[in-house]
Amino acid sequence: MTRIGVVGLGYWGPNLARNFDALAELAWICDSDSDRLGAFANRYPQAQATARYDDLLNDETLDAVIVATPVPTHYELARKALEAGKHTLVEKPPAMRGEEMDELLQLAVDGDLVCMPGHLLLYHPGVQKLKELVDAGGLGDVLCVYGNRQNLGIIRKDENALWSLGVHDLSVVLYLLGEEPEEAIALGRDFLTPGVEDVVFCYLRFPSGKIAHMHLSWLDPHKMRKITVVGTEKMVVFDDMELERKVTVYEKGPWQRAESYGEWQTRSGDINIPKIPTDEPLRLECEHFLALVRGDGDRQQVAQDGAMVVRALERLTESLGSR
Ligand SMILES: NC(=O)c1ccc[n+]([C@@H]2O[C@H](COP(=O)([O-])OP(=O)(O)OC[C@H]3O[C@@H](n4cnc5c(N)ncnc54)[C@H](O)[C@@H]3O)[C@@H](O)[C@H]2O)c1
Protein backbone atom coordinates (compact mmCIF):
# COMPACT_ATOMS: atom_id res chain seq x y z
CA MET A 1 0.00 0.00 0.00
CA THR A 2 1.27 3.48 -0.83
CA ARG A 3 2.77 5.15 2.24
CA ILE A 4 1.78 8.80 2.53
CA GLY A 5 2.99 11.71 4.65
CA VAL A 6 0.87 14.86 5.01
CA VAL A 7 2.54 18.17 5.88
CA GLY A 8 0.36 21.06 7.06
CA LEU A 9 -2.61 20.27 9.29
CA GLY A 10 -4.35 23.64 9.34
CA TYR A 11 -7.72 24.11 7.67
CA TRP A 12 -7.23 22.04 4.49
CA GLY A 13 -4.57 19.44 5.36
CA PRO A 14 -6.91 17.42 7.63
CA ASN A 15 -9.21 16.81 4.63
CA LEU A 16 -6.27 15.35 2.72
CA ALA A 17 -5.19 13.29 5.75
CA ARG A 18 -8.74 11.90 6.11
CA ASN A 19 -8.87 10.84 2.46
CA PHE A 20 -5.39 9.33 2.35
CA ASP A 21 -6.06 7.51 5.61
CA ALA A 22 -9.01 5.85 3.88
CA LEU A 23 -7.32 5.19 0.52
CA ALA A 24 -3.70 4.45 1.42
CA GLU A 25 -1.43 4.15 4.45
CA LEU A 26 -1.15 7.45 6.30
CA ALA A 27 2.39 6.89 7.59
CA TRP A 28 3.38 10.42 8.71
CA ILE A 29 1.68 13.64 9.75
CA CYS A 30 3.69 16.84 10.10
CA ASP A 31 3.01 20.38 11.30
CA SER A 32 5.37 22.97 12.72
CA ASP A 33 2.62 23.97 15.19
CA SER A 34 2.72 21.49 18.08
CA ASP A 35 -0.94 22.08 19.03
CA ARG A 36 -2.13 21.20 15.53
CA LEU A 37 0.15 18.21 15.44
CA GLY A 38 -1.01 17.00 18.86
CA ALA A 39 -4.68 17.16 17.86
CA PHE A 40 -4.10 14.96 14.81
CA ALA A 41 -1.63 12.62 16.47
CA ASN A 42 -4.55 11.52 18.65
CA ARG A 43 -6.80 11.06 15.65
CA TYR A 44 -4.25 9.01 13.66
CA PRO A 45 -2.29 7.04 16.29
CA GLN A 46 -0.89 4.66 13.66
CA ALA A 47 0.85 7.56 11.84
CA GLN A 48 4.16 8.93 13.08
CA ALA A 49 3.82 12.59 14.10
CA THR A 50 6.60 15.14 13.74
CA ALA A 51 7.24 18.87 13.55
CA ARG A 52 10.37 18.24 11.43
CA TYR A 53 9.68 17.93 7.73
CA ASP A 54 13.04 16.22 7.19
CA ASP A 55 11.81 13.20 9.17
CA LEU A 56 9.43 12.43 6.30
CA LEU A 57 12.12 12.93 3.67
CA ASN A 58 14.57 10.69 5.52
CA ASP A 59 12.10 7.79 5.70
CA GLU A 60 13.09 5.63 2.75
CA THR A 61 9.89 3.62 3.00
CA LEU A 62 7.70 6.71 2.47
CA ASP A 63 6.37 6.88 -1.09
CA ALA A 64 4.70 10.28 -1.25
CA VAL A 65 4.42 13.65 0.45
CA ILE A 66 1.29 15.80 0.45
CA VAL A 67 1.96 19.52 0.94
CA ALA A 68 -0.89 21.53 2.49
CA THR A 69 1.00 24.47 3.99
CA PRO A 70 0.59 28.18 3.04
CA VAL A 71 1.28 29.05 -0.61
CA PRO A 72 4.68 30.80 -0.17
CA THR A 73 6.12 27.57 1.34
CA HIS A 74 4.92 25.23 -1.43
CA TYR A 75 7.83 25.46 -3.85
CA GLU A 76 10.51 24.87 -1.21
CA LEU A 77 8.73 21.91 0.39
CA ALA A 78 7.82 20.36 -2.97
CA ARG A 79 11.37 20.75 -4.26
CA LYS A 80 12.80 19.03 -1.19
CA ALA A 81 10.29 16.19 -1.49
CA LEU A 82 11.09 15.59 -5.15
CA GLU A 83 14.83 15.79 -4.46
CA ALA A 84 14.32 13.12 -1.79
CA GLY A 85 12.65 10.92 -4.42
CA LYS A 86 9.08 11.28 -3.10
CA HIS A 87 6.00 11.59 -5.27
CA THR A 88 4.38 14.90 -4.41
CA LEU A 89 0.87 16.32 -4.29
CA VAL A 90 1.10 20.06 -3.63
CA GLU A 91 -1.82 22.30 -2.83
CA LYS A 92 -2.49 24.89 -5.49
CA PRO A 93 -0.44 26.61 -6.73
CA PRO A 94 2.74 24.54 -6.28
CA ALA A 95 4.91 27.59 -6.95
CA MET A 96 4.49 31.34 -7.26
CA ARG A 97 6.78 31.79 -10.25
CA GLY A 98 6.98 30.05 -13.61
CA GLU A 99 10.71 29.41 -13.17
CA GLU A 100 10.15 27.61 -9.88
CA MET A 101 7.43 25.51 -11.43
CA ASP A 102 9.76 24.58 -14.31
CA GLU A 103 12.30 23.41 -11.76
CA LEU A 104 9.72 21.19 -10.04
CA LEU A 105 8.69 19.82 -13.42
CA GLN A 106 12.27 18.95 -14.31
CA LEU A 107 12.85 17.24 -10.96
CA ALA A 108 9.70 15.18 -11.53
CA VAL A 109 10.84 14.18 -15.03
CA ASP A 110 14.38 13.35 -13.89
CA GLY A 111 13.16 11.19 -11.01
CA ASP A 112 10.13 9.76 -12.87
CA LEU A 113 8.03 11.13 -10.03
CA VAL A 114 4.51 12.53 -9.80
CA CYS A 115 4.32 16.26 -9.06
CA MET A 116 0.62 16.95 -8.99
CA PRO A 117 -0.96 20.32 -8.12
CA GLY A 118 -4.12 20.14 -5.99
CA HIS A 119 -6.47 21.67 -8.55
CA LEU A 120 -9.56 20.44 -6.74
CA LEU A 121 -12.14 21.86 -9.12
CA LEU A 122 -10.84 19.75 -12.01
CA TYR A 123 -12.12 16.69 -10.13
CA HIS A 124 -15.60 18.12 -9.61
CA PRO A 125 -18.01 15.88 -11.55
CA GLY A 126 -19.72 19.07 -12.80
CA VAL A 127 -16.46 20.32 -14.33
CA GLN A 128 -15.85 16.85 -15.77
CA LYS A 129 -19.27 17.13 -17.45
CA LEU A 130 -18.31 20.56 -18.86
CA LYS A 131 -15.11 19.05 -20.28
CA GLU A 132 -17.01 16.13 -21.77
CA LEU A 133 -19.46 18.52 -23.45
CA VAL A 134 -16.71 20.78 -24.80
CA ASP A 135 -14.62 17.86 -26.12
CA ALA A 136 -17.59 16.05 -27.69
CA GLY A 137 -18.14 19.08 -29.92
CA GLY A 138 -21.89 19.35 -29.29
CA LEU A 139 -21.51 22.96 -28.16
CA GLY A 140 -20.26 23.84 -31.64
CA ASP A 141 -17.23 26.12 -31.65
CA VAL A 142 -16.51 27.34 -28.15
CA LEU A 143 -16.26 31.12 -28.33
CA CYS A 144 -15.73 32.19 -24.75
CA VAL A 145 -15.65 30.99 -21.15
CA TYR A 146 -16.18 33.11 -18.07
CA GLY A 147 -16.01 32.45 -14.36
CA ASN A 148 -17.69 34.18 -11.45
CA ARG A 149 -16.22 33.59 -8.01
CA GLN A 150 -17.68 36.25 -5.77
CA ASN A 151 -18.94 36.57 -2.22
CA LEU A 152 -18.87 38.93 0.74
CA GLY A 153 -15.77 37.59 2.57
CA ILE A 154 -13.56 35.82 3.49
CA ILE A 155 -11.44 39.00 3.44
CA ARG A 156 -7.80 37.91 3.19
CA LYS A 157 -4.77 39.99 4.11
CA ASP A 158 -1.94 37.89 2.66
CA GLU A 159 -3.26 36.70 -0.70
CA ASN A 160 -5.20 38.80 -3.19
CA ALA A 161 -8.41 37.66 -4.87
CA LEU A 162 -6.47 36.48 -7.93
CA TRP A 163 -4.29 34.07 -5.96
CA SER A 164 -6.88 33.09 -3.40
CA LEU A 165 -9.91 32.64 -5.68
CA GLY A 166 -8.61 32.82 -9.24
CA VAL A 167 -6.44 29.70 -9.22
CA HIS A 168 -9.57 27.55 -9.23
CA ASP A 169 -11.22 29.22 -12.23
CA LEU A 170 -7.97 29.58 -14.11
CA SER A 171 -7.24 25.86 -13.80
CA VAL A 172 -10.71 25.09 -15.18
CA VAL A 173 -10.56 27.61 -18.03
CA LEU A 174 -7.18 26.28 -19.20
CA TYR A 175 -8.34 22.68 -18.80
CA LEU A 176 -11.50 23.26 -20.83
CA LEU A 177 -9.78 25.13 -23.65
CA GLY A 178 -6.50 23.17 -23.61
CA GLU A 179 -4.53 26.20 -24.73
CA GLU A 180 -2.06 28.61 -23.18
CA PRO A 181 -3.28 32.23 -23.31
CA GLU A 182 -1.33 34.60 -25.54
CA GLU A 183 -2.72 37.61 -23.70
CA ALA A 184 -3.45 37.85 -19.98
CA ILE A 185 -4.66 41.10 -18.47
CA ALA A 186 -5.92 41.74 -14.93
CA LEU A 187 -7.44 44.87 -13.44
CA GLY A 188 -8.24 45.24 -9.77
CA ARG A 189 -8.23 47.38 -6.66
CA ASP A 190 -6.94 46.97 -3.11
CA PHE A 191 -9.80 48.69 -1.27
CA LEU A 192 -9.22 47.22 2.20
CA THR A 193 -5.60 46.14 2.69
CA PRO A 194 -2.92 48.07 0.78
CA GLY A 195 -1.36 45.86 -1.89
CA VAL A 196 -3.97 43.08 -1.58
CA GLU A 197 -6.55 43.36 -4.36
CA ASP A 198 -10.07 42.53 -3.16
CA VAL A 199 -11.72 42.79 -6.58
CA VAL A 200 -10.02 41.49 -9.73
CA PHE A 201 -11.26 41.24 -13.32
CA CYS A 202 -9.17 39.10 -15.68
CA TYR A 203 -9.17 38.83 -19.44
CA LEU A 204 -7.46 36.04 -21.37
CA ARG A 205 -7.12 35.64 -25.10
CA PHE A 206 -6.01 32.35 -26.68
CA PRO A 207 -4.20 31.61 -29.96
CA SER A 208 -7.40 30.06 -31.38
CA GLY A 209 -9.20 33.40 -30.85
CA LYS A 210 -11.26 32.12 -27.90
CA ILE A 211 -11.47 34.49 -24.96
CA ALA A 212 -12.08 34.08 -21.23
CA HIS A 213 -12.97 36.31 -18.33
CA MET A 214 -12.90 35.89 -14.54
CA HIS A 215 -14.58 38.08 -11.93
CA LEU A 216 -12.94 37.40 -8.56
CA SER A 217 -14.06 39.26 -5.47
CA TRP A 218 -14.75 39.04 -1.77
CA LEU A 219 -16.58 42.38 -1.85
CA ASP A 220 -19.78 41.34 -3.54
CA PRO A 221 -23.44 40.89 -2.59
CA HIS A 222 -23.73 37.64 -4.59
CA LYS A 223 -22.27 34.34 -3.57
CA MET A 224 -21.36 32.98 -6.99
CA ARG A 225 -19.35 29.91 -7.99
CA LYS A 226 -20.15 29.72 -11.65
CA ILE A 227 -18.49 28.93 -14.97
CA THR A 228 -20.22 29.61 -18.27
CA VAL A 229 -19.17 28.23 -21.64
CA VAL A 230 -20.59 29.87 -24.75
CA GLY A 231 -20.57 27.80 -27.92
CA THR A 232 -22.05 28.45 -31.33
CA GLU A 233 -24.58 25.59 -30.95
CA LYS A 234 -25.15 25.36 -27.18
CA MET A 235 -24.25 27.20 -24.01
CA VAL A 236 -23.51 25.53 -20.66
CA VAL A 237 -23.47 26.79 -17.10
CA PHE A 238 -21.78 25.00 -14.19
CA ASP A 239 -23.18 26.48 -10.98
CA ASP A 240 -21.66 25.03 -7.84
CA MET A 241 -24.15 26.89 -5.63
CA GLU A 242 -26.98 24.77 -7.04
CA LEU A 243 -27.77 21.51 -5.29
CA GLU A 244 -29.59 19.66 -8.04
CA ARG A 245 -28.83 21.50 -11.25
CA LYS A 246 -25.07 21.88 -11.14
CA VAL A 247 -24.87 21.84 -14.94
CA THR A 248 -27.44 23.33 -17.29
CA VAL A 249 -27.17 23.00 -21.06
CA TYR A 250 -29.01 25.62 -23.10
CA GLU A 251 -29.75 24.87 -26.73
CA LYS A 252 -29.38 28.50 -27.62
CA GLY A 253 -27.18 30.18 -30.12
CA PRO A 254 -26.76 32.49 -33.04
CA TRP A 255 -27.74 31.47 -36.56
CA GLN A 256 -28.09 32.86 -40.04
CA ARG A 257 -31.01 32.04 -42.34
CA ALA A 258 -29.83 31.45 -45.89
CA GLU A 259 -32.29 34.04 -47.21
CA SER A 260 -31.42 36.68 -44.59
CA TYR A 261 -28.28 37.86 -46.41
CA GLY A 262 -25.82 37.41 -43.55
CA GLU A 263 -28.06 38.87 -40.85
CA TRP A 264 -27.60 37.17 -37.47
CA GLN A 265 -30.59 35.84 -35.57
CA THR A 266 -30.84 33.87 -32.33
CA ARG A 267 -32.51 30.57 -31.57
CA SER A 268 -33.67 29.06 -28.25
CA GLY A 269 -34.43 25.37 -27.82
CA ASP A 270 -34.51 22.90 -24.94
CA ILE A 271 -32.82 23.37 -21.62
CA ASN A 272 -31.24 20.14 -20.29
CA ILE A 273 -30.03 19.31 -16.81
CA PRO A 274 -27.72 16.27 -16.90
CA LYS A 275 -27.37 14.17 -13.77
CA ILE A 276 -24.11 14.92 -12.00
CA PRO A 277 -22.66 12.35 -9.56
CA THR A 278 -22.19 13.59 -6.01
CA ASP A 279 -18.71 12.06 -5.50
CA GLU A 280 -16.44 14.14 -3.28
CA PRO A 281 -14.00 15.97 -5.60
CA LEU A 282 -11.19 15.68 -3.05
CA ARG A 283 -11.63 11.91 -2.87
CA LEU A 284 -11.38 11.76 -6.68
CA GLU A 285 -8.29 14.00 -6.62
CA CYS A 286 -6.57 11.73 -4.05
CA GLU A 287 -7.54 8.61 -6.04
CA HIS A 288 -6.05 10.16 -9.18
CA PHE A 289 -2.82 10.93 -7.35
CA LEU A 290 -2.53 7.35 -6.07
CA ALA A 291 -3.24 6.00 -9.57
CA LEU A 292 -0.41 8.13 -10.99
CA VAL A 293 1.91 6.92 -8.22
CA ARG A 294 1.03 3.32 -9.15
CA GLY A 295 1.97 4.13 -12.74
CA ASP A 296 -1.53 4.49 -14.24
CA GLY A 297 -2.01 7.57 -16.42
CA ASP A 298 0.29 10.33 -17.64
CA ARG A 299 2.52 11.42 -14.75
CA GLN A 300 4.01 14.41 -16.46
CA GLN A 301 0.75 15.86 -17.80
CA VAL A 302 -0.55 16.96 -14.38
CA ALA A 303 2.69 18.84 -13.68
CA GLN A 304 2.61 20.48 -17.11
CA ASP A 305 -1.01 21.54 -16.63
CA GLY A 306 -0.03 22.99 -13.24
CA ALA A 307 2.85 24.88 -14.85
CA MET A 308 0.48 26.45 -17.39
CA VAL A 309 -1.69 27.73 -14.51
CA VAL A 310 1.34 29.19 -12.68
CA ARG A 311 2.58 30.92 -15.85
CA ALA A 312 -0.84 32.48 -16.46
CA LEU A 313 -1.10 33.55 -12.81
CA GLU A 314 2.32 35.14 -13.02
CA ARG A 315 1.38 37.11 -16.14
CA LEU A 316 -1.91 38.22 -14.63
CA THR A 317 -0.07 39.32 -11.48
CA GLU A 318 2.45 41.34 -13.51
CA SER A 319 -0.40 42.99 -15.37
CA LEU A 320 -2.23 43.76 -12.11
CA GLY A 321 0.90 45.27 -10.55
CA SER A 322 1.77 47.36 -13.57
CA ARG A 323 -1.49 49.23 -13.30
N1 LIG B 1 -8.26 22.95 -2.75
C1 LIG B 1 -8.97 23.73 -1.96
O1 LIG B 1 -10.16 23.91 -2.16
C2 LIG B 1 -8.30 24.40 -0.81
C3 LIG B 1 -9.07 24.96 0.22
C4 LIG B 1 -8.39 25.57 1.26
C5 LIG B 1 -7.01 25.68 1.26
N2 LIG B 1 -6.32 25.14 0.22
C6 LIG B 1 -4.85 25.24 0.17
O2 LIG B 1 -4.30 24.49 1.22
C7 LIG B 1 -3.11 25.12 1.69
C8 LIG B 1 -3.20 25.33 3.19
O3 LIG B 1 -4.26 26.21 3.45
P1 LIG B 1 -4.93 26.27 4.89
O4 LIG B 1 -6.10 27.17 4.75
O5 LIG B 1 -5.10 24.91 5.43
O6 LIG B 1 -3.77 27.02 5.72
P2 LIG B 1 -3.59 27.05 7.28
O7 LIG B 1 -2.77 28.27 7.56
O8 LIG B 1 -4.88 26.86 7.98
O9 LIG B 1 -2.71 25.76 7.59
C9 LIG B 1 -1.37 25.63 7.21
C10 LIG B 1 -0.68 24.71 8.23
O10 LIG B 1 0.66 24.47 7.78
C11 LIG B 1 1.55 24.51 8.88
N3 LIG B 1 2.87 24.82 8.36
C12 LIG B 1 3.29 25.97 7.78
N4 LIG B 1 4.57 25.86 7.36
C13 LIG B 1 4.97 24.62 7.70
C14 LIG B 1 6.17 23.89 7.52
N5 LIG B 1 7.23 24.45 6.92
N6 LIG B 1 6.24 22.63 7.99
C15 LIG B 1 5.21 22.06 8.62
N7 LIG B 1 4.02 22.70 8.81
C16 LIG B 1 3.90 23.95 8.35
C17 LIG B 1 0.95 25.57 9.79
O11 LIG B 1 1.39 25.41 11.13
C18 LIG B 1 -0.54 25.32 9.63
O12 LIG B 1 -1.04 24.42 10.59
C19 LIG B 1 -2.97 26.42 0.91
O13 LIG B 1 -2.13 26.21 -0.17
C20 LIG B 1 -4.36 26.67 0.38
O14 LIG B 1 -4.35 27.37 -0.86
C21 LIG B 1 -6.93 24.50 -0.79
Side-chain angles (χ1 to χ4, degrees), residues 7-16 30-33 36 50-51 53 67-71 73-74 77 91-93 118-121 156 159 163-164 168 282 285:
V7 51
L9 299 163
Y11 162 66
W12 193 244
N15 294 322
L16 287 154
C30 172
D31 199 296
S32 46
D33 179 325
R36 299 298 302 167
T50 182
Y53 183 54
V67 178
T69 52
V71 175
T73 66
H74 287 177
L77 297 177
E91 259 316 318
K92 42 79 192 164
H119 289 311
L120 180 70
L121 210 46
R156 301 204 182 264
E159 272 180 353
W163 283 80
S164 175
H168 292 292
L282 187 58
E285 178 187 311

Side-chain angles (χ1 to χ4, degrees), residues 49-315:
T50 182
R52 290 184 306 269
Y53 183 54
D54 283 350
D55 288 345
L56 279 66
L57 307 185
N58 292 334
D59 178 353
E60 285 181 4
T61 67
L62 188 70
D63 299 299
V65 170
I66 315 300
V67 178
T69 52
V71 175
T73 66
H74 287 177
Y75 157 70
E76 189 70 15
L77 297 177
R79 184 174 58 75
K80 284 185 171 172
L82 292 166
E83 281 173 350
K86 311 294 181 202
H87 299 289
T88 311
L89 167 59
V90 200
E91 259 316 318
K92 42 79 192 164
M96 297 184 73
R97 294 172 39 233
E99 276 172 26
E100 294 171 346
M101 193 62 210
D102 289 344
E103 203 184 322
L104 297 182
L105 233 131
Q106 195 56 51
L107 283 168
V109 171
D110 292 348
D112 190 21
L113 294 165
V114 180
C115 175
M116 178 172 139
H119 289 311
L120 180 70
L121 210 46
L122 299 187
Y123 298 89
H124 194 302
V127 171
Q128 285 299 322
K129 175 55 82 176
L130 278 189
K131 180 68 173 164
E132 188 187 308
L133 290 164
V134 167
D135 287 355
L139 305 184
D141 291 333
V142 171
L143 304 175
C144 65
V145 180
Y146 62 91
N148 297 88
R149 193 162 293 268
Q150 296 133 246
N151 194 15
L152 188 61
I154 304 167
I155 297 164
R156 301 204 182 264
K157 287 190 191 156
D158 305 317
E159 272 180 353
N160 65 14
L162 174 61
W163 283 80
S164 175
L165 307 173
V167 190
H168 292 292
D169 299 85
L170 196 52
S171 66
V172 175
V173 167
L174 300 186
Y175 173 62
L176 291 179
L177 299 184
E179 289 183 78
E180 182 132 21
E182 60 183 12
E183 203 177 342
I185 296 169
L187 297 164
R189 275 294 312 274
D190 49 347
F191 293 108
L192 306 180
T193 308
V196 179
E197 287 81 3
D198 315 280
V199 182
V200 178
F201 300 97
C202 303
Y203 167 80
L204 303 162
R205 185 185 168 89
F206 296 84
S208 63
K210 296 177 175 65
I211 58 172
H213 178 264
M214 301 186 297
H215 180 183
L216 310 162
S217 171
W218 50 63
L219 289 183
D220 204 277
H222 309 285
K223 177 154 186 171
M224 289 175 82
R225 299 280 181 265
K226 209 185 260 196
I227 291 171
T228 304
V229 183
V230 176
T232 49
E233 298 298 321
K234 294 181 189 172
M235 303 180 182
V236 191
V237 179
F238 163 60
D239 187 344
D240 209 8
M241 297 307 297
E242 290 281 350
L243 283 179
E244 290 197 317
R245 40 183 292 178
K246 293 267 179 205
V247 173
T248 309
V249 186
Y250 297 86
E251 294 201 9
K252 289 179 178 219
W255 74 298
Q256 284 177 313
R257 259 203 318 229
E259 63 274 23
S260 68
Y261 305 106
E263 195 177 313
W264 284 104
Q265 299 189 329
T266 57
R267 93 195 126 62
S268 283
D270 291 341
I271 297 174
N272 290 303
I273 301 168
K275 182 171 167 52
I276 303 298
T278 53
D279 303 314
E280 184 193 4
L282 187 58
R283 174 63 64 110
L284 299 173
E285 178 187 311
C286 296
E287 283 173 352
H288 185 212
F289 177 70
L290 291 170
L292 291 174
V293 168
R294 282 195 308 270
D296 302 338
D298 187 343
R299 276 190 179 174
Q300 305 313 330
Q301 190 61 47
V302 280
Q304 281 161 12
D305 292 346
M308 189 150 78
V309 173
V310 172
R311 283 195 293 272
L313 267 178
E314 196 176 24
R315 289 170 64 194

